[in-house]
Amino acid sequence: MKKSVVLVLIAIFLILAGIEGTKKVFEIRREAQKERQIAFLKTHEKEMTEYIQKNSSDDIKVKYYWNTVERKQSMAFSRPTLSIKFDAIDEKKTKEENYYNEKNMLVVDTDMEITRIYDMWTTRTIIENSYTGE
């Protein structure tokens, strides 16, 4: 009787240890994937900055928040996208005037292996064009 109780307790312990170990493996893998995604975006930082500057009306400085990188996939067989938050800073304006340009989102359409960029877009107007009335 004592042996069967001990064996059951050992089995429960081994199962719980296995579950905990599996969780750690998944966590390590997720962190490695995130680091790979950030590295990919950093290698394309110049291209992303040029895209943002091209689609804004003023000369701006772009500040990326690398810790906000997220991978999303809308449907089972669609390509994944990476998103990252950024600030578009017009250095001629005050911090208060630049408030609207904070925490924009750049979405990068990539291939499944995250080795190539197909397209990019922002989730809102970066810096609105100034209408001169001419």
Side-chain angles (χ1 to χ4, degrees):
M1 180 88 154
K2 283 186 173 184
K3 285 185 180 183
S4 62
V5 170
V6 170
L7 289 175
V8 169
L9 289 174
I10 290 173
I12 290 172
F13 173 77
L14 291 174
I15 290 171
L16 291 175
I19 291 172
E20 200 58 38
T22 303
K23 285 181 185 178
K24 289 207 184 277
V25 167
F26 281 124
E27 185 178 316
I28 290 168
R29 186 170 181 217
R30 190 177 357 193
E31 288 174 10
Q33 286 175 340
K34 181 134 182 163
E35 288 173 12
R36 192 174 134 240
Q37 294 162 1
I38 291 170
F40 172 77
L41 290 177
K42 283 185 176 183
T43 61
H44 293 280
E45 182 176 2
K46 182 178 178 186
E47 184 180 349
M48 294 170 6
T49 302
E50 287 172 357
Y51 171 82
I52 293 168
Q53 289 173 336
K54 181 180 83 174
N55 289 296
S56 68
S57 61
D58 298 321
D59 291 329
I60 59 168
K61 180 178 142 192
V62 180
K63 176 184 174 190
Y64 294 101
Y65 293 93
W66 299 107
N67 61 337
T68 65
V69 172
E70 290 182 4
R71 180 183 186 269
K72 297 180 182 174
Q73 192 167 352
S74 60
M75 293 186 278
F77 298 106
S78 66
R79 289 192 305 251
T81 59
L82 296 176
S83 62
I84 183 169
K85 291 184 179 177
F86 69 93
D87 291 346
I89 303 163
D90 184 346
E91 293 180 337
K92 296 176 219 149
K93 295 182 179 178
T94 65
K95 181 176 171 107
E96 291 78 24
E97 292 172 323
N98 273 311
Y99 176 76
Y100 180 77
N101 304 322
E102 292 180 354
K103 301 290 194 274
N104 287 289
M105 181 81 66
L106 176 67
V107 181
V108 181
D109 184 15
T110 67
D111 61 355
M112 293 301 256
E113 294 81 28
I114 307 178
T115 58
R116 179 177 170 210
I117 293 178
Y118 289 107
D119 197 10
M120 287 185 253
W121 62 89
T122 56
T123 56
R124 65 180 181 185
T125 304
I126 302 167
I127 295 180
E128 296 181 16
N129 291 326
S130 303
Y131 178 68
T132 59
E134 295 178 24

